[in-house]
mmCIF file of all heavy atoms in Angstrom:
data_model
loop_
_atom_site.group_PDB
_atom_site.id
_atom_site.type_symbol
_atom_site.label_atom_id
_atom_site.label_comp_id
_atom_site.label_asym_id
_atom_site.label_seq_id
_atom_site.Cartn_x
_atom_site.Cartn_y
_atom_site.Cartn_z
ATOM 1 N N GLY A 15 -37.215 -39.425 75.519
ATOM 2 C CA GLY A 15 -37.927 -38.877 76.757
ATOM 3 C C GLY A 15 -39.058 -37.964 76.377
ATOM 4 O O GLY A 15 -39.019 -37.189 75.349
ATOM 5 N N MET A 16 -40.026 -37.983 77.176
ATOM 6 C CA MET A 16 -41.273 -37.241 76.891
ATOM 7 C C MET A 16 -41.896 -36.751 78.257
ATOM 8 O O MET A 16 -41.680 -37.304 79.325
ATOM 9 C CB MET A 16 -42.390 -38.079 76.293
ATOM 10 C CG MET A 16 -42.762 -39.319 76.917
ATOM 11 S SD MET A 16 -44.100 -40.141 76.062
ATOM 12 C CE MET A 16 -43.298 -40.809 74.582
ATOM 13 N N MET A 17 -42.638 -35.723 78.188
ATOM 14 C CA MET A 17 -43.318 -35.211 79.423
ATOM 15 C C MET A 17 -44.692 -35.983 79.519
ATOM 16 O O MET A 17 -45.424 -36.075 78.660
ATOM 17 C CB MET A 17 -43.719 -33.722 79.277
ATOM 18 C CG MET A 17 -42.529 -32.775 79.192
ATOM 19 S SD MET A 17 -41.441 -33.030 80.706
ATOM 20 C CE MET A 17 -42.705 -32.473 82.016
ATOM 21 N N VAL A 18 -44.899 -36.653 80.621
ATOM 22 C CA VAL A 18 -46.078 -37.444 80.945
ATOM 23 C C VAL A 18 -46.954 -36.627 81.752
ATOM 24 O O VAL A 18 -46.616 -36.055 82.837
ATOM 25 C CB VAL A 18 -45.639 -38.723 81.619
ATOM 26 C CG1 VAL A 18 -46.833 -39.421 82.166
ATOM 27 C CG2 VAL A 18 -44.806 -39.641 80.724
ATOM 28 N N GLN A 19 -48.258 -36.599 81.465
ATOM 29 C CA GLN A 19 -49.228 -35.880 82.151
ATOM 30 C C GLN A 19 -50.165 -36.735 82.922
ATOM 31 O O GLN A 19 -50.780 -37.790 82.407
ATOM 32 C CB GLN A 19 -50.064 -34.981 81.251
ATOM 33 C CG GLN A 19 -51.061 -34.135 81.747
ATOM 34 C CD GLN A 19 -50.387 -32.963 82.558
ATOM 35 O OE1 GLN A 19 -49.441 -32.251 82.044
ATOM 36 N NE2 GLN A 19 -50.735 -32.775 83.845
ATOM 37 N N THR A 20 -50.283 -36.524 84.184
ATOM 38 C CA THR A 20 -51.388 -37.278 85.102
ATOM 39 C C THR A 20 -52.373 -36.143 85.465
ATOM 40 O O THR A 20 -52.316 -34.996 85.064
ATOM 41 C CB THR A 20 -50.627 -37.871 86.194
ATOM 42 O OG1 THR A 20 -50.060 -36.907 87.130
ATOM 43 C CG2 THR A 20 -49.559 -38.781 85.867
ATOM 44 N N LYS A 21 -53.212 -36.593 86.357
ATOM 45 C CA LYS A 21 -54.240 -35.677 86.867
ATOM 46 C C LYS A 21 -53.777 -34.485 87.635
ATOM 47 O O LYS A 21 -54.153 -33.463 87.578
ATOM 48 C CB LYS A 21 -55.319 -36.389 87.654
ATOM 49 C CG LYS A 21 -56.275 -37.413 86.960
ATOM 50 C CD LYS A 21 -57.198 -38.115 87.803
ATOM 51 C CE LYS A 21 -58.064 -39.031 87.080
ATOM 52 N NZ LYS A 21 -59.077 -39.728 87.950
ATOM 53 N N ASP A 22 -52.764 -34.709 88.434
ATOM 54 C CA ASP A 22 -52.232 -33.779 89.306
ATOM 55 C C ASP A 22 -50.771 -33.180 88.944
ATOM 56 O O ASP A 22 -50.273 -32.210 89.491
ATOM 57 C CB ASP A 22 -52.162 -34.203 90.796
ATOM 58 C CG ASP A 22 -52.195 -35.593 90.953
ATOM 59 O OD1 ASP A 22 -52.127 -36.350 89.930
ATOM 60 O OD2 ASP A 22 -52.088 -36.061 92.122
ATOM 61 N N LYS A 23 -50.049 -33.915 88.088
ATOM 62 C CA LYS A 23 -48.654 -33.477 87.751
ATOM 63 C C LYS A 23 -48.303 -33.804 86.313
ATOM 64 O O LYS A 23 -48.921 -34.523 85.752
ATOM 65 C CB LYS A 23 -47.758 -33.823 88.827
ATOM 66 C CG LYS A 23 -47.548 -35.311 88.748
ATOM 67 C CD LYS A 23 -46.477 -35.754 89.802
ATOM 68 C CE LYS A 23 -46.289 -37.358 89.918
ATOM 69 N NZ LYS A 23 -45.320 -37.770 90.857
ATOM 70 N N SER A 24 -47.177 -33.274 85.926
ATOM 71 C CA SER A 24 -46.484 -33.651 84.704
ATOM 72 C C SER A 24 -45.013 -33.944 85.101
ATOM 73 O O SER A 24 -44.450 -33.269 85.876
ATOM 74 C CB SER A 24 -46.594 -32.722 83.606
ATOM 75 O OG SER A 24 -45.999 -31.536 83.977
ATOM 76 N N TYR A 25 -44.402 -34.868 84.395
ATOM 77 C CA TYR A 25 -43.016 -35.198 84.715
ATOM 78 C C TYR A 25 -42.304 -35.720 83.444
ATOM 79 O O TYR A 25 -42.969 -36.256 82.493
ATOM 80 C CB TYR A 25 -42.793 -36.084 85.843
ATOM 81 C CG TYR A 25 -43.566 -37.508 85.721
ATOM 82 C CD1 TYR A 25 -42.938 -38.606 85.133
ATOM 83 C CD2 TYR A 25 -44.943 -37.637 85.867
ATOM 84 C CE1 TYR A 25 -43.499 -39.803 84.911
ATOM 85 C CE2 TYR A 25 -45.491 -38.867 85.681
ATOM 86 C CZ TYR A 25 -44.763 -39.949 85.187
ATOM 87 O OH TYR A 25 -45.464 -41.148 84.936
ATOM 88 N N PHE A 26 -40.922 -35.663 83.405
ATOM 89 C CA PHE A 26 -40.207 -36.173 82.349
ATOM 90 C C PHE A 26 -40.032 -37.752 82.406
ATOM 91 O O PHE A 26 -39.623 -38.179 83.561
ATOM 92 C CB PHE A 26 -38.801 -35.565 82.294
ATOM 93 C CG PHE A 26 -37.974 -35.955 81.111
ATOM 94 C CD1 PHE A 26 -38.134 -35.536 79.907
ATOM 95 C CD2 PHE A 26 -36.878 -36.917 81.354
ATOM 96 C CE1 PHE A 26 -37.312 -35.927 78.835
ATOM 97 C CE2 PHE A 26 -36.180 -37.390 80.376
ATOM 98 C CZ PHE A 26 -36.300 -36.795 79.023
ATOM 99 N N ASN A 27 -40.263 -38.490 81.478
ATOM 100 C CA ASN A 27 -40.216 -39.900 81.469
ATOM 101 C C ASN A 27 -39.322 -40.367 80.177
ATOM 102 O O ASN A 27 -39.522 -40.011 79.191
ATOM 103 C CB ASN A 27 -41.614 -40.508 81.357
ATOM 104 C CG ASN A 27 -41.528 -41.995 81.243
ATOM 105 O OD1 ASN A 27 -41.384 -42.468 80.085
ATOM 106 N ND2 ASN A 27 -41.838 -42.739 82.281
ATOM 107 N N MET A 28 -38.502 -41.349 80.607
ATOM 108 C CA MET A 28 -37.662 -42.009 79.452
ATOM 109 C C MET A 28 -37.897 -43.458 79.394
ATOM 110 O O MET A 28 -37.485 -44.037 78.453
ATOM 111 C CB MET A 28 -36.200 -41.663 79.621
ATOM 112 C CG MET A 28 -35.482 -42.117 80.946
ATOM 113 S SD MET A 28 -33.850 -41.750 81.166
ATOM 114 C CE MET A 28 -33.376 -42.655 82.592
ATOM 115 N N ASN A 29 -38.468 -44.119 80.386
ATOM 116 C CA ASN A 29 -38.792 -45.556 80.444
ATOM 117 C C ASN A 29 -40.174 -45.712 80.826
ATOM 118 O O ASN A 29 -40.664 -45.228 81.866
ATOM 119 C CB ASN A 29 -37.783 -46.282 81.304
ATOM 120 C CG ASN A 29 -36.417 -46.263 80.915
ATOM 121 O OD1 ASN A 29 -35.519 -46.459 81.818
ATOM 122 N ND2 ASN A 29 -36.149 -46.057 79.667
ATOM 123 N N ALA A 30 -40.864 -46.508 80.146
ATOM 124 C CA ALA A 30 -42.305 -46.919 80.368
ATOM 125 C C ALA A 30 -42.349 -48.411 80.783
ATOM 126 O O ALA A 30 -41.875 -49.286 80.038
ATOM 127 C CB ALA A 30 -43.244 -46.682 79.191
ATOM 128 N N LYS A 31 -42.934 -48.723 81.950
ATOM 129 C CA LYS A 31 -43.047 -50.110 82.373
ATOM 130 C C LYS A 31 -44.116 -50.877 81.454
ATOM 131 O O LYS A 31 -45.281 -50.409 81.264
ATOM 132 C CB LYS A 31 -43.485 -50.133 83.758
ATOM 133 C CG LYS A 31 -42.378 -49.728 84.793
ATOM 134 C CD LYS A 31 -42.899 -49.957 86.223
ATOM 135 C CE LYS A 31 -41.699 -49.636 87.174
ATOM 136 N NZ LYS A 31 -42.265 -49.758 88.624
ATOM 137 N N LYS A 32 -43.647 -51.930 80.976
ATOM 138 C CA LYS A 32 -44.499 -52.839 80.178
ATOM 139 C C LYS A 32 -45.877 -53.186 80.958
ATOM 140 O O LYS A 32 -46.896 -53.196 80.444
ATOM 141 C CB LYS A 32 -43.789 -54.079 79.752
ATOM 142 C CG LYS A 32 -44.677 -55.180 79.098
ATOM 143 C CD LYS A 32 -43.829 -56.369 78.764
ATOM 144 C CE LYS A 32 -44.594 -57.518 78.138
ATOM 145 N NZ LYS A 32 -43.774 -58.690 78.018
ATOM 146 N N GLU A 33 -45.635 -53.340 82.190
ATOM 147 C CA GLU A 33 -46.887 -53.688 83.020
ATOM 148 C C GLU A 33 -47.910 -52.579 83.214
ATOM 149 O O GLU A 33 -49.085 -52.822 83.680
ATOM 150 C CB GLU A 33 -46.327 -54.151 84.434
ATOM 151 C CG GLU A 33 -45.428 -55.190 84.542
ATOM 152 C CD GLU A 33 -43.908 -54.802 84.387
ATOM 153 O OE1 GLU A 33 -43.719 -53.708 83.937
ATOM 154 O OE2 GLU A 33 -43.071 -55.679 84.776
ATOM 155 N N SER A 34 -47.523 -51.299 82.828
ATOM 156 C CA SER A 34 -48.335 -50.161 83.031
ATOM 157 C C SER A 34 -49.242 -49.974 81.741
ATOM 158 O O SER A 34 -50.156 -49.026 81.785
ATOM 159 C CB SER A 34 -47.614 -48.925 83.432
ATOM 160 O OG SER A 34 -46.837 -48.549 82.278
ATOM 161 N N LEU A 35 -49.054 -50.600 80.676
ATOM 162 C CA LEU A 35 -49.750 -50.362 79.390
ATOM 163 C C LEU A 35 -51.219 -50.448 79.494
ATOM 164 O O LEU A 35 -51.962 -49.770 78.759
ATOM 165 C CB LEU A 35 -49.225 -51.289 78.329
ATOM 166 C CG LEU A 35 -47.749 -51.165 77.965
ATOM 167 C CD1 LEU A 35 -47.357 -52.215 76.827
ATOM 168 C CD2 LEU A 35 -47.294 -49.741 77.429
ATOM 169 N N GLU A 36 -51.684 -51.266 80.272
ATOM 170 C CA GLU A 36 -53.197 -51.442 80.475
ATOM 171 C C GLU A 36 -53.740 -50.769 81.578
ATOM 172 O O GLU A 36 -55.071 -50.615 81.604
ATOM 173 C CB GLU A 36 -53.480 -53.012 80.500
ATOM 174 C CG GLU A 36 -53.130 -53.884 79.365
ATOM 175 C CD GLU A 36 -53.961 -53.390 78.129
ATOM 176 O OE1 GLU A 36 -55.044 -52.912 78.213
ATOM 177 O OE2 GLU A 36 -53.266 -53.421 77.060
ATOM 178 N N THR A 37 -52.917 -50.169 82.405
ATOM 179 C CA THR A 37 -53.499 -49.470 83.633
ATOM 180 C C THR A 37 -53.265 -47.972 83.712
ATOM 181 O O THR A 37 -53.972 -47.148 84.229
ATOM 182 C CB THR A 37 -52.834 -50.057 84.958
ATOM 183 O OG1 THR A 37 -51.468 -50.035 84.866
ATOM 184 C CG2 THR A 37 -53.150 -51.637 85.026
ATOM 185 N N PHE A 38 -52.139 -47.526 83.030
ATOM 186 C CA PHE A 38 -51.892 -46.134 83.066
ATOM 187 C C PHE A 38 -52.347 -45.454 81.824
ATOM 188 O O PHE A 38 -51.929 -45.711 80.681
ATOM 189 C CB PHE A 38 -50.353 -45.836 83.142
ATOM 190 C CG PHE A 38 -49.966 -44.462 83.324
ATOM 191 C CD1 PHE A 38 -50.774 -43.454 83.807
ATOM 192 C CD2 PHE A 38 -48.738 -44.050 82.871
ATOM 193 C CE1 PHE A 38 -50.347 -42.142 83.946
ATOM 194 C CE2 PHE A 38 -48.282 -42.762 82.997
ATOM 195 C CZ PHE A 38 -49.239 -41.810 83.535
ATOM 196 N N TYR A 39 -53.415 -44.571 81.949
ATOM 197 C CA TYR A 39 -54.147 -44.043 80.760
ATOM 198 C C TYR A 39 -53.080 -43.396 79.820
ATOM 199 O O TYR A 39 -53.297 -43.526 78.549
ATOM 200 C CB TYR A 39 -55.182 -43.063 81.201
ATOM 201 C CG TYR A 39 -55.803 -42.331 80.104
ATOM 202 C CD1 TYR A 39 -56.839 -43.023 79.477
ATOM 203 C CD2 TYR A 39 -55.496 -41.091 79.585
ATOM 204 C CE1 TYR A 39 -57.555 -42.445 78.405
ATOM 205 C CE2 TYR A 39 -56.207 -40.550 78.619
ATOM 206 C CZ TYR A 39 -57.311 -41.254 77.992
ATOM 207 O OH TYR A 39 -57.948 -40.617 76.899
ATOM 208 N N PHE A 40 -52.158 -42.654 80.246
ATOM 209 C CA PHE A 40 -51.270 -41.855 79.287
ATOM 210 C C PHE A 40 -50.567 -42.958 78.284
ATOM 211 O O PHE A 40 -50.485 -42.712 77.092
ATOM 212 C CB PHE A 40 -50.302 -41.152 80.012
ATOM 213 C CG PHE A 40 -49.321 -40.221 79.200
ATOM 214 C CD1 PHE A 40 -49.781 -38.989 78.802
ATOM 215 C CD2 PHE A 40 -48.129 -40.686 78.685
ATOM 216 C CE1 PHE A 40 -48.877 -38.136 78.079
ATOM 217 C CE2 PHE A 40 -47.333 -39.942 77.773
ATOM 218 C CZ PHE A 40 -47.679 -38.603 77.560
ATOM 219 N N PHE A 41 -49.956 -43.949 78.934
ATOM 220 C CA PHE A 41 -49.271 -45.036 78.058
ATOM 221 C C PHE A 41 -50.290 -45.791 77.320
ATOM 222 O O PHE A 41 -49.866 -46.367 76.201
ATOM 223 C CB PHE A 41 -48.310 -45.816 78.883
ATOM 224 C CG PHE A 41 -47.188 -45.068 79.464
ATOM 225 C CD1 PHE A 41 -46.595 -45.338 80.719
ATOM 226 C CD2 PHE A 41 -46.470 -44.059 78.742
ATOM 227 C CE1 PHE A 41 -45.579 -44.582 81.210
ATOM 228 C CE2 PHE A 41 -45.432 -43.380 79.131
ATOM 229 C CZ PHE A 41 -44.980 -43.628 80.405
ATOM 230 N N LYS A 42 -51.310 -46.146 77.855
ATOM 231 C CA LYS A 42 -52.401 -46.905 77.112
ATOM 232 C C LYS A 42 -52.809 -46.260 75.886
ATOM 233 O O LYS A 42 -52.960 -47.021 74.839
ATOM 234 C CB LYS A 42 -53.532 -47.188 78.140
ATOM 235 C CG LYS A 42 -54.648 -48.056 77.607
ATOM 236 C CD LYS A 42 -55.789 -48.264 78.565
ATOM 237 C CE LYS A 42 -56.745 -49.277 77.999
ATOM 238 N NZ LYS A 42 -57.883 -49.527 79.049
ATOM 239 N N GLN A 43 -52.996 -45.014 75.886
ATOM 240 C CA GLN A 43 -53.357 -44.293 74.627
ATOM 241 C C GLN A 43 -52.314 -44.382 73.527
ATOM 242 O O GLN A 43 -52.576 -44.596 72.340
ATOM 243 C CB GLN A 43 -53.706 -42.850 75.010
ATOM 244 C CG GLN A 43 -54.883 -42.574 75.779
ATOM 245 C CD GLN A 43 -56.131 -42.981 75.022
ATOM 246 O OE1 GLN A 43 -56.692 -44.132 75.180
ATOM 247 N NE2 GLN A 43 -56.524 -42.071 74.092
ATOM 248 N N LEU A 44 -51.023 -44.189 73.947
ATOM 249 C CA LEU A 44 -49.877 -44.318 73.164
ATOM 250 C C LEU A 44 -49.745 -45.734 72.461
ATOM 251 O O LEU A 44 -49.405 -45.988 71.222
ATOM 252 C CB LEU A 44 -48.618 -43.877 73.756
ATOM 253 C CG LEU A 44 -48.558 -42.426 74.219
ATOM 254 C CD1 LEU A 44 -47.179 -42.164 74.815
ATOM 255 C CD2 LEU A 44 -48.834 -41.392 73.069
ATOM 256 N N TYR A 45 -49.946 -46.661 73.452
ATOM 257 C CA TYR A 45 -49.825 -48.091 73.104
ATOM 258 C C TYR A 45 -50.847 -48.459 71.936
ATOM 259 O O TYR A 45 -50.496 -49.344 71.117
ATOM 260 C CB TYR A 45 -50.043 -49.051 74.273
ATOM 261 C CG TYR A 45 -49.854 -50.383 74.119
ATOM 262 C CD1 TYR A 45 -48.780 -50.997 73.421
ATOM 263 C CD2 TYR A 45 -50.867 -51.327 74.428
ATOM 264 C CE1 TYR A 45 -48.555 -52.519 73.227
ATOM 265 C CE2 TYR A 45 -50.761 -52.691 74.201
ATOM 266 C CZ TYR A 45 -49.691 -53.168 73.664
ATOM 267 O OH TYR A 45 -49.541 -54.467 73.414
ATOM 268 N N GLN A 46 -51.920 -47.850 71.858
ATOM 269 C CA GLN A 46 -52.997 -48.181 70.867
ATOM 270 C C GLN A 46 -52.616 -47.718 69.467
ATOM 271 O O GLN A 46 -52.910 -48.305 68.414
ATOM 272 C CB GLN A 46 -54.364 -47.612 71.290
ATOM 273 C CG GLN A 46 -54.937 -48.285 72.485
ATOM 274 C CD GLN A 46 -56.130 -47.604 73.063
ATOM 275 O OE1 GLN A 46 -56.561 -46.537 72.545
ATOM 276 N NE2 GLN A 46 -56.762 -48.212 74.025
ATOM 277 N N SER A 47 -51.822 -46.657 69.406
ATOM 278 C CA SER A 47 -51.576 -46.018 68.092
ATOM 279 C C SER A 47 -50.231 -45.426 67.790
ATOM 280 O O SER A 47 -49.969 -45.043 66.730
ATOM 281 C CB SER A 47 -52.680 -44.986 67.809
ATOM 282 O OG SER A 47 -52.656 -43.938 68.641
ATOM 283 N N LYS A 48 -49.388 -45.286 68.791
ATOM 284 C CA LYS A 48 -48.089 -44.671 68.668
ATOM 285 C C LYS A 48 -46.962 -45.668 69.094
ATOM 286 O O LYS A 48 -46.075 -45.432 69.948
ATOM 287 C CB LYS A 48 -48.113 -43.394 69.497
ATOM 288 C CG LYS A 48 -49.003 -42.317 69.002
ATOM 289 C CD LYS A 48 -48.605 -41.786 67.647
ATOM 290 C CE LYS A 48 -49.418 -40.562 67.284
ATOM 291 N NZ LYS A 48 -50.824 -40.907 66.962
ATOM 292 N N ARG A 49 -46.891 -46.851 68.620
ATOM 293 C CA ARG A 49 -45.976 -47.832 68.789
ATOM 294 C C ARG A 49 -44.670 -47.635 67.921
ATOM 295 O O ARG A 49 -44.895 -47.227 66.715
ATOM 296 C CB ARG A 49 -46.477 -49.227 68.670
ATOM 297 C CG ARG A 49 -47.638 -49.539 69.596
ATOM 298 C CD ARG A 49 -48.034 -50.948 69.451
ATOM 299 N NE ARG A 49 -48.610 -51.355 68.178
ATOM 300 C CZ ARG A 49 -49.854 -51.098 67.727
ATOM 301 N NH1 ARG A 49 -50.656 -50.528 68.682
ATOM 302 N NH2 ARG A 49 -50.263 -51.305 66.539
ATOM 303 N N CYS A 50 -43.478 -47.906 68.462
ATOM 304 C CA CYS A 50 -42.280 -47.765 67.664
ATOM 305 C C CYS A 50 -41.242 -48.755 68.095
ATOM 306 O O CYS A 50 -41.467 -49.393 69.135
ATOM 307 C CB CYS A 50 -41.745 -46.343 67.612
ATOM 308 S SG CYS A 50 -41.101 -45.855 69.271
ATOM 309 N N LEU A 51 -40.150 -48.820 67.385
ATOM 310 C CA LEU A 51 -39.014 -49.726 67.762
ATOM 311 C C LEU A 51 -37.845 -48.672 67.913
ATOM 312 O O LEU A 51 -37.680 -47.737 67.128
ATOM 313 C CB LEU A 51 -38.740 -50.746 66.707
ATOM 314 C CG LEU A 51 -39.871 -51.780 66.382
ATOM 315 C CD1 LEU A 51 -39.372 -52.573 65.172
ATOM 316 C CD2 LEU A 51 -40.119 -52.538 67.569
ATOM 317 N N ILE A 52 -37.039 -48.973 68.908
ATOM 318 C CA ILE A 52 -35.761 -48.287 69.023
ATOM 319 C C ILE A 52 -34.591 -49.194 68.664
ATOM 320 O O ILE A 52 -34.594 -50.334 69.085
ATOM 321 C CB ILE A 52 -35.612 -47.850 70.520
ATOM 322 C CG1 ILE A 52 -36.807 -46.963 70.911
ATOM 323 C CG2 ILE A 52 -34.287 -47.184 70.784
ATOM 324 C CD1 ILE A 52 -37.037 -46.687 72.351
ATOM 325 N N ILE A 53 -33.778 -48.784 67.760
ATOM 326 C CA ILE A 53 -32.589 -49.490 67.351
ATOM 327 C C ILE A 53 -31.439 -49.238 68.225
ATOM 328 O O ILE A 53 -30.950 -48.105 68.435
ATOM 329 C CB ILE A 53 -32.289 -49.130 65.886
ATOM 330 C CG1 ILE A 53 -33.526 -49.044 65.035
ATOM 331 C CG2 ILE A 53 -31.319 -50.110 65.306
ATOM 332 C CD1 ILE A 53 -33.386 -48.461 63.636
ATOM 333 N N LEU A 54 -30.781 -50.323 68.654
ATOM 334 C CA LEU A 54 -29.569 -50.266 69.454
ATOM 335 C C LEU A 54 -28.756 -51.568 69.258
ATOM 336 O O LEU A 54 -29.208 -52.582 68.946
ATOM 337 C CB LEU A 54 -29.822 -49.895 70.971
ATOM 338 C CG LEU A 54 -30.662 -50.979 71.720
ATOM 339 C CD1 LEU A 54 -30.273 -50.791 73.221
ATOM 340 C CD2 LEU A 54 -32.082 -50.816 71.578
ATOM 341 N N ASP A 55 -27.484 -51.365 69.733
ATOM 342 C CA ASP A 55 -26.696 -52.626 69.634
ATOM 343 C C ASP A 55 -26.129 -52.915 71.101
ATOM 344 O O ASP A 55 -25.320 -53.884 71.316
ATOM 345 C CB ASP A 55 -25.581 -52.668 68.602
ATOM 346 C CG ASP A 55 -24.765 -51.360 68.551
ATOM 347 O OD1 ASP A 55 -24.632 -50.628 69.572
ATOM 348 O OD2 ASP A 55 -24.284 -51.009 67.543
ATOM 349 N N GLY A 56 -26.470 -52.114 72.057
ATOM 350 C CA GLY A 56 -26.131 -52.404 73.474
ATOM 351 C C GLY A 56 -26.648 -51.262 74.372
ATOM 352 O O GLY A 56 -26.968 -50.182 73.855
ATOM 353 N N TYR A 57 -26.583 -51.524 75.585
ATOM 354 C CA TYR A 57 -27.102 -50.517 76.567
ATOM 355 C C TYR A 57 -26.264 -50.700 77.927
ATOM 356 O O TYR A 57 -25.676 -51.735 78.090
ATOM 357 C CB TYR A 57 -28.548 -50.495 76.859
ATOM 358 C CG TYR A 57 -29.061 -51.668 77.598
ATOM 359 C CD1 TYR A 57 -29.340 -51.577 78.971
ATOM 360 C CD2 TYR A 57 -29.341 -52.903 77.045
ATOM 361 C CE1 TYR A 57 -29.683 -52.685 79.710
ATOM 362 C CE2 TYR A 57 -29.780 -53.932 77.682
ATOM 363 C CZ TYR A 57 -30.060 -53.839 79.091
ATOM 364 O OH TYR A 57 -30.403 -54.948 79.839
ATOM 365 N N TYR A 58 -26.220 -49.638 78.687
ATOM 366 C CA TYR A 58 -25.480 -49.662 79.998
ATOM 367 C C TYR A 58 -26.538 -49.735 81.108
ATOM 368 O O TYR A 58 -27.667 -49.166 80.998
ATOM 369 C CB TYR A 58 -24.642 -48.315 80.049
ATOM 370 C CG TYR A 58 -23.723 -48.120 79.016
ATOM 371 C CD1 TYR A 58 -23.901 -47.207 77.972
ATOM 372 C CD2 TYR A 58 -22.472 -48.556 79.046
ATOM 373 C CE1 TYR A 58 -23.055 -47.088 77.027
ATOM 374 C CE2 TYR A 58 -21.488 -48.494 78.080
ATOM 375 C CZ TYR A 58 -21.763 -47.611 77.001
ATOM 376 O OH TYR A 58 -20.898 -47.434 76.064
ATOM 377 N N GLU A 59 -26.119 -50.408 82.110
ATOM 378 C CA GLU A 59 -26.861 -50.548 83.321
ATOM 379 C C GLU A 59 -25.880 -50.423 84.523
ATOM 380 O O GLU A 59 -24.852 -50.893 84.350
ATOM 381 C CB GLU A 59 -27.728 -51.773 83.439
ATOM 382 C CG GLU A 59 -28.806 -51.762 84.295
ATOM 383 C CD GLU A 59 -29.775 -50.557 84.159
ATOM 384 O OE1 GLU A 59 -30.696 -50.705 83.427
ATOM 385 O OE2 GLU A 59 -29.550 -49.546 84.930
ATOM 386 N N TRP A 60 -26.394 -49.872 85.617
ATOM 387 C CA TRP A 60 -25.617 -49.528 86.667
ATOM 388 C C TRP A 60 -26.055 -50.447 87.908
ATOM 389 O O TRP A 60 -27.214 -50.452 88.371
ATOM 390 C CB TRP A 60 -25.725 -48.067 87.103
ATOM 391 C CG TRP A 60 -24.876 -47.158 86.254
ATOM 392 C CD1 TRP A 60 -23.582 -46.642 86.672
ATOM 393 C CD2 TRP A 60 -25.177 -46.689 84.994
ATOM 394 N NE1 TRP A 60 -23.171 -45.847 85.638
ATOM 395 C CE2 TRP A 60 -24.161 -45.876 84.610
ATOM 396 C CE3 TRP A 60 -26.278 -46.829 84.197
ATOM 397 C CZ2 TRP A 60 -24.166 -45.253 83.335
ATOM 398 C CZ3 TRP A 60 -26.233 -46.252 82.960
ATOM 399 C CH2 TRP A 60 -25.179 -45.458 82.584
ATOM 400 N N GLN A 61 -25.070 -51.271 88.438
ATOM 401 C CA GLN A 61 -25.343 -52.174 89.563
ATOM 402 C C GLN A 61 -25.003 -51.410 90.847
ATOM 403 O O GLN A 61 -23.798 -51.010 90.970
ATOM 404 C CB GLN A 61 -24.575 -53.419 89.446
ATOM 405 C CG GLN A 61 -24.832 -54.442 90.584
ATOM 406 C CD GLN A 61 -23.730 -55.637 90.445
ATOM 407 O OE1 GLN A 61 -22.592 -55.308 90.483
ATOM 408 N NE2 GLN A 61 -24.282 -56.912 90.444
ATOM 409 N N ASP A 62 -25.915 -51.288 91.821
ATOM 410 C CA ASP A 62 -25.608 -50.726 93.051
ATOM 411 C C ASP A 62 -24.817 -51.692 93.838
ATOM 412 O O ASP A 62 -25.120 -52.722 94.293
ATOM 413 C CB ASP A 62 -27.039 -50.482 93.757
ATOM 414 C CG ASP A 62 -26.862 -49.566 94.915
ATOM 415 O OD1 ASP A 62 -25.790 -49.357 95.427
ATOM 416 O OD2 ASP A 62 -27.926 -49.040 95.451
#
């Protein structure tokens, strides 16, 4: 999780949408030089 900064606010973020990599400046900058892999063997999801 990281604090994301926009023009008018900052907020805590733990998931970044793949579709926003080219449109959201904050993630676009990280995508250019701060890429990583997360290692896991499973995850949980909640069905409403």
Side-chain angles (χ1 to χ4, degrees):
M16 63 177 64
M17 294 304 298
V18 172
Q19 185 67 51
T20 66
K21 290 182 178 180
D22 26 358
K23 65 177 182 178
S24 62
Y25 61 92
F26 182 78
N27 172 279
M28 61 183 187
N29 293 157
K31 290 184 177 182
K32 177 183 175 182
E33 300 88 342
S34 70
L35 295 180
E36 295 300 326
T37 58
F38 184 27
Y39 178 78
F40 185 90
F41 289 146
K42 185 176 182 179
Q43 290 293 102
L44 297 182
Y45 180 54
Q46 291 174 355
S47 60
K48 296 290 189 292
R49 299 182 297 274
C50 68
L51 302 172
I52 297 161
I53 311 170
L54 64 154
D55 44 32
Y57 70 99
Y58 301 96
E59 197 54 87
W60 282 258
Q61 183 188 57
D62 190 347

